[in-house]
Amino acid sequence: MMHNKSDSDVTSLAASSPPRSPKRAVYYVQSPSRDSHDGDKSSSMQATPVYNSPMESPSHPSFGRHSRTSSASRFSGPFRSSSGRKGNRKRVNDKGWPECNVIQEEGSYDDLEEDRGLSRRCQIILALLSFVLLFTVFSLIIWGAARPYKAKVVVKSLAMDDFYAGEGSDTTGVPTKMVTVNCSLKISIYNPASMFGIHVTSSSINLIFSEITIATGELKKYYQPRRSRRTLSLILSGEKVPLYGAGAGLALSNTGGAVPLTLDLEIISRGYVIGKLVKVKHRKHVSCPLVVDSSNTKPIKFSQNACSYE
């Protein structure tokens, strides 16, 4: 039975739990304040029993309307008492839902969005790098497969249309032997590639006497389809070319004479396998020694071993 005394407060504190038992909430029970009673100041105090949990305690008549006017706290530690006291009930909103405190989060989501954006950019960069790497490997494979297909060049014949040597003077007036040459050259070019065509051209085609070029010509650039052969006729010409000291070894007469010459040419072929991204380029250098007789107008035919191909 609860004794209502004077202005003295009765406070009871529970003893600590045994070491092996879990930590339980501690409850403080306080008698009504002295403002609500007119008792004697010398009245004795009586402590209310302490219980470790609401389940162990009997019904508490002191938890009635008197507790709502108590000025002291009825909870201990971080836990509130849920023993059915009306003063500790949660407030409800207009819809009947219990109100709760909203957790205020610090900071904004901009940093998270920036992290996601950075991650997305990294993924795009990695995808591009992977694509470039794969395309490079693929291009190298295609380039390696196309590399062995070189254009095959064969020099067939040389027809001397005009070969004349005589005395003369150069542009400065120095007297020397001079030679005039006009001839035609036939060559055959074969493209063995089955995947691509080739663009064929040449550097200057020279007819040389004693290290002096006496006739020149060129091959105009053209396109040759895959697995095709083409025979070309080229014109070599030189007019009044001074021989200077080399002219002493040139002996021509009306009855004819043999003149040792050298035919030198270089054929360039370019194959565009995947546009201009993957292309192959080959050079074929050809050198053919020959002897020209001014009295013989028949074309000079070259055997397969007469010329060197590099």
Side-chain angles (χ1 to χ4, degrees), residues 200-220:
V200 183
T201 185
S202 72
S203 59
S204 60
I205 302 172
N206 301 322
L207 191 62
I208 301 172
F209 170 75
S210 185
E211 298 184 357
I212 297 177
T213 300
I214 59 176
T216 61
E218 65 177 355
L219 173 63
K220 293 183 179 180

Side-chain angles (χ1 to χ4, degrees), residues 6-301:
S6 61
D7 55 343
S8 299
D9 293 337
V10 179
T11 305
S12 177
L13 179 63
S16 59
S17 301
R20 290 178 295 177
S21 61
K23 198 169 185 180
R24 299 179 181 180
V26 180
Y27 297 87
Y28 292 89
V29 179
Q30 191 173 28
S31 62
S33 62
R34 62 185 175 185
D35 295 335
S36 62
H37 300 279
D38 295 325
D40 190 4
K41 292 183 180 180
S42 61
S43 301
S44 61
M45 292 186 300
Q46 182 176 355
T48 303
V50 176
Y51 300 94
N52 291 329
S53 67
M55 300 301 296
E56 296 179 1
S57 63
S59 59
H60 300 280
S62 62
F63 288 171
R65 63 177 182 271
H66 299 286
S67 61
R68 283 181 285 181
T69 60
S70 176
S71 59
S73 175
R74 291 174 174 80
F75 59 91
S76 174
F79 302 101
R80 288 183 179 268
S81 173
S82 60
S83 59
R85 288 173 291 180
K86 295 182 180 179
N88 291 333
R89 289 181 181 178
K90 295 182 179 179
R91 290 180 295 179
V92 296
N93 55 16
D94 296 337
K95 295 183 179 181
W97 294 93
E99 292 183 354
C100 60
N101 294 329
V102 179
I103 299 176
Q104 299 290 336
E105 295 189 3
E106 297 182 358
S108 62
Y109 292 97
D110 296 339
D111 296 338
L112 298 178
E113 292 179 357
E114 290 180 0
D115 293 341
R116 287 197 298 269
L118 181 61
S119 178
R120 191 179 301 111
R121 285 195 295 269
C122 290
Q123 291 176 1
I124 293 173
I125 293 173
L126 289 176
L128 290 176
L129 291 177
S130 301
F131 173 77
V132 171
L133 180 61
L134 290 176
F135 183 78
T136 303
V137 173
F138 174 75
S139 301
L140 288 175
I141 293 174
I142 296 297
W143 179 82
R147 184 68 180 170
Y149 294 99
K150 300 179 181 180
K152 296 181 180 180
V153 181
V154 177
V155 178
K156 289 190 169 293
S157 63
L158 177 67
M160 190 65 64
D161 300 325
D162 188 12
F163 192 93
Y164 173 78
E167 297 292 336
S169 59
D170 59 7
T171 55
T172 61
V174 177
T176 182
K177 279 189 177 182
M178 308 188 75
V179 63
T180 298
V181 180
N182 189 10
C183 60
S184 60
L185 175 68
K186 283 187 178 182
I187 61 175
S188 175
I189 299 177
Y190 174 66
N191 177 22
S194 59
M195 299 184 295
F196 55 92
I198 57 175
H199 297 264
V200 183
T201 185
S202 72
S203 59
S204 60
I205 302 172
N206 301 322
L207 191 62
I208 301 172
F209 170 75
S210 185
E211 298 184 357
I212 297 177
T213 300
I214 59 176
T216 61
E218 65 177 355
L219 173 63
K220 293 183 179 180
K221 185 177 180 179
Y222 74 95
Y223 175 77
Q224 185 165 336
R226 56 186 179 180
R227 289 189 178 277
S228 62
R229 187 185 300 274
R230 186 171 180 178
T231 300
L232 305 171
S233 181
L234 308 175
I235 301 299
L236 282 70
S237 62
E239 185 177 359
K240 294 181 180 181
V241 179
L243 298 179
Y244 300 110
L250 182 63
L252 290 179
S253 62
N254 294 330
T255 57
V259 179
L261 301 176
T262 301
L263 177 66
D264 187 84
L265 65 135
E266 186 178 52
I267 303 297
I268 303 171
S269 63
R270 292 182 178 89
Y272 298 98
V273 185
I274 305 179
K276 292 187 177 182
L277 295 176
V278 180
K279 59 183 179 180
V280 291
K281 182 179 179 181
H282 297 101
R283 292 176 178 268
K284 179 71 72 174
H285 182 263
V286 184
S287 179
C288 302
L290 66 146
V291 177
V292 175
D293 191 348
S294 59
S295 62
N296 187 3
T297 57
K298 292 181 179 180
I300 302 172
K301 294 184 179 181

